[in-house]
Amino acid sequence: MQQYIEWGALANVVLVGLLVGAGLPALFALGVRALAGTGAKDEAGQVRTGRKVLAAVAFGIVIATIVAAVAYIAAGGH
Amino acid sequence: MEHVTEPLLLGIVVATALAFDFTNGFHDTGNAMATSIATRALKPKQAVLLSATLNMVGAFLSLTVAATIAKGIVDSGVVTLEIVLAGLAGGIIWNLVTWLFGIPSSSSHALVGGVVGAVLAAAGTGGVLWAGLVAKVLLPALIAPLVAILVGTVATALVARITRDVPQDTNDRMFRWGQIGSASLVSLAHGTNDAQKSMGIILLALIAAGAVPSDSSVPFWVIVSCALAMALGTYTGGWRVIRTLGKGLVELESRQGMAAETSSAAVILLSSHFGYSLSTTHVATGSIMGSGVGMKGASVRWSVAGRMFMAWLITVPAAATVGALAYGLDRLVGGTAGSYVVFGVLLAIAAFIWWWSRRKPVGHHNVNDDWEPVADAEAILAEAVVDHELSEAADGPVTVPDARERES
């Protein structure tokens, strides 16, 4: 089978694919949970500051990765 | 243009390549937008407009276009304009037939199949590089959905677990944005990747006919027309395929849609980065299945999935058969006239399939209707025919499921 499947490339696709393809949605979900999950709001109904920072970091990484992906496509990588 | 050999033949090949580009956009809209339409993150018309725009932008972004067709799969020395034409005919007809049945199938595999068939008819088995065909087309068709199912499942399971104590309406509202973003990325990648293929074919035809020198880059009008053809196809919306992907496989909510599209974008871009290109269609379909596997309480309609896998396995042989027949017809009539006849027959078949599809149209108005699981492709056809007869007879109370029992 060695001649038919490039195992090295395939392993890379699976591993990095899991990291990015599952990691980004998980980060996004973390951001959503930080803003709207149980305990996100204090007594006054405001989202706690720590939660806001956590959400900003999570969404920030997601957006940065998407921008990087578009740049990568534009650079002819795809 | 006096240096151009057979300018009319060249014109036909270019027109057919643009037609293929159109069916490509039209057939593959669902890869990016089916989930956003199904979860109502976007209205159907908005979704296809967004996808068409991004496909067009993607087509202009693509910088490296190679004048090759089915590189490493057929012996490039035997490829002539007639073979390209027959190959395109095979690809277009397979795209239209699978669209008619609402089956997502890879446009690039259809094109490769058509070319392989034409080469077989023209040069015999020696013209096909079999190891390349197995390694680059057949095995990836099996591997791509497995990889995507794995990534899509893990992504969905993580998302579902992390957001389990977030109210459903908040989840829906916020994940819609993520869904639109990730679907846009898939559209953009599709435009860059697939419009290039048609540009490459047209460039190849131009070089073969002597219209441009062999080291020419892609003329601007080719880029514009390919981008437009694909965008127009995308905007027309292969609603049948969108319906199958968005409603037929899994009942989706926004969290699953977002996880599935991100998984698709990641696997598509990474696979081309690591030099192991996987079909957009296979990846997108696999990710959507994964979003059903990874979500508690969701289920994948494996009968629909099974029908797709079957279609993927026969894509190459089926398109090859059409490609070989088209090439045979071309030779049988002979000369340039043969190519005209192939083009004419192609138009007639396309018109027939379109007419057939109108018997039970699927469009933006009914794309999200409840899915009725149907046992097999024949049943859909039978149902379409029976429906048609019923609506003509207008004899009220007979329902479609009854009609299907009567047929079987």
Side-chain angles (χ1 to χ4, degrees):
Chain A
M1 291 294 275
Q2 195 61 48
Q3 70 189 102
Y4 291 124
I5 300 183
E6 295 167 43
W7 291 105
L10 181 58
N12 275 328
V13 173
V14 173
L15 292 177
V16 187
L18 275 173
L19 191 72
V20 180
L24 281 187
L27 265 176
F28 191 93
L30 214 60
V32 171
R33 184 185 188 172
L35 289 182
T38 316
K41 291 178 178 164
D42 57 22
E43 292 75 24
Q46 295 294 311
V47 178
R48 295 171 202 277
T49 312
R51 295 277 201 147
K52 277 186 188 165
V53 172
L54 183 63
V57 170
F59 289 132
I61 296 175
V62 171
I63 291 169
T65 314
I66 291 174
V67 171
V70 173
Y72 172 70
I73 296 174
H78 190 46
Chain B
M1 296 280 276
E2 55 270 1
H3 300 300
V4 178
T5 56
E6 306 183 89
L8 271 173
L9 176 59
L10 177 61
I12 284 180
V13 173
V14 170
T16 313
L18 289 176
F20 175 76
D21 204 24
F22 177 87
T23 65
N24 189 336
F26 161 82
H27 203 279
D28 293 357
T29 322
N31 293 338
M33 289 300 164
T35 64
S36 302
I37 293 171
T39 63
R40 299 175 202 277
L42 288 168
K43 293 201 179 79
K45 285 274 190 186
Q46 290 173 337
V48 291
L49 184 63
L50 176 63
S51 184
T53 310
L54 289 166
N55 262 308
M56 185 136 97
V57 171
F60 281 105
L61 280 179
S62 50
L63 301 171
T64 48
V65 177
T68 54
I69 182 168
K71 189 184 179 200
I73 295 166
V74 298
D75 179 0
S76 55
V78 303
V79 176
T80 61
L81 274 188
E82 286 83 0
I83 287 179
V84 173
L85 180 66
L88 285 168
I92 290 173
I93 288 176
W94 180 250
N95 269 352
L96 290 176
V97 169
T98 47
W99 162 75
L100 184 64
F101 289 109
I103 300 172
S105 83
S106 166
S107 297
S108 42
H109 282 201
L111 177 62
V112 164
V115 172
V116 165
V119 166
L120 276 177
T125 52
V128 178
L129 310 174
W130 296 100
L133 183 65
V134 172
K136 291 190 178 184
V137 181
L138 299 183
L139 283 176
L142 298 173
I143 292 169
L146 295 179
V147 172
I149 287 174
L150 176 68
V151 177
T153 303
V154 174
T156 308
L158 282 174
V159 166
R161 182 156 178 77
I162 292 170
T163 58
R164 69 187 184 284
D165 64 350
V166 177
Q168 184 68 37
D169 58 330
T170 312
N171 267 340
D172 283 344
R173 204 179 62 241
M174 299 184 87
F175 273 92
R176 268 175 199 171
W177 289 104
Q179 206 186 347
I180 295 168
S182 49
S184 299
L185 212 52
V186 175
S187 285
L188 194 66
H190 182 259
T192 348
N193 206 25
D194 281 28
Q196 269 183 358
K197 285 173 194 149
S198 302
M199 291 179 206
I201 293 170
I202 295 177
L203 181 61
L204 183 74
L206 290 172
I207 292 171
V212 298
S214 61
D215 57 351
S216 168
S217 60
V218 184
F220 188 64
W221 67 265
V222 174
I223 300 178
V224 173
S225 50
C226 282
L228 281 176
M230 178 171 274
L232 196 64
T234 307
Y235 183 68
T236 313
W239 297 109
R240 289 163 181 270
V241 180
I242 292 175
R243 180 164 163 68
T244 305
L245 277 172
K247 298 296 285 185
L249 271 177
V250 182
E251 292 292 337
L252 292 160
E253 59 158 280
S254 292
R255 289 184 291 169
Q256 290 163 287
M258 188 269 183
E261 293 302 334
T262 311
S263 151
S264 297
V267 173
I268 291 163
L269 290 172
L270 287 167
S271 74
S272 80
H273 174 71
F274 288 117
Y276 194 71
S277 281
L278 300 174
S279 155
T280 307
T281 305
H282 298 160
V283 171
T285 311
S287 294
I288 292 174
M289 288 181 205
S291 78
V293 176
M295 193 77 172
K296 242 181 229 163
S299 58
V300 179
R301 288 198 187 91
W302 291 107
S303 61
V304 177
R307 205 163 75 221
M308 281 177 200
F309 284 124
M310 282 307 298
W312 296 349
L313 289 179
I314 65 170
T315 292
V316 169
T321 308
V322 180
L325 287 174
Y327 186 80
L329 181 65
D330 195 325
R331 290 288 94 175
L332 191 70
V333 178
T336 319
S339 299
Y340 299 155
V341 171
V342 168
F343 189 63
V345 170
L346 178 62
L347 286 181
I349 292 175
F352 176 77
I353 292 175
W354 183 81
W355 169 78
W356 190 270
S357 78
R358 300 313 295 167
R359 296 172 141 220
K360 191 168 187 185
V362 178
H364 60 91
H365 57 288
N366 62 352
V367 67
N368 271 342
D369 287 359
D370 281 339
W371 182 266
E372 290 181 337
V374 179
D376 52 36
E378 281 81 1
I380 291 184
L381 253 189
E383 186 181 305
V385 173
V386 171
D387 259 12
H388 185 64
E389 287 166 2
L390 286 179
S391 63
E392 274 192 339
D395 54 357
V398 185
T399 59
V400 173
D402 289 342
R404 210 182 306 133
E405 278 168 24
R406 205 178 65 200
E407 280 296 303
S408 59

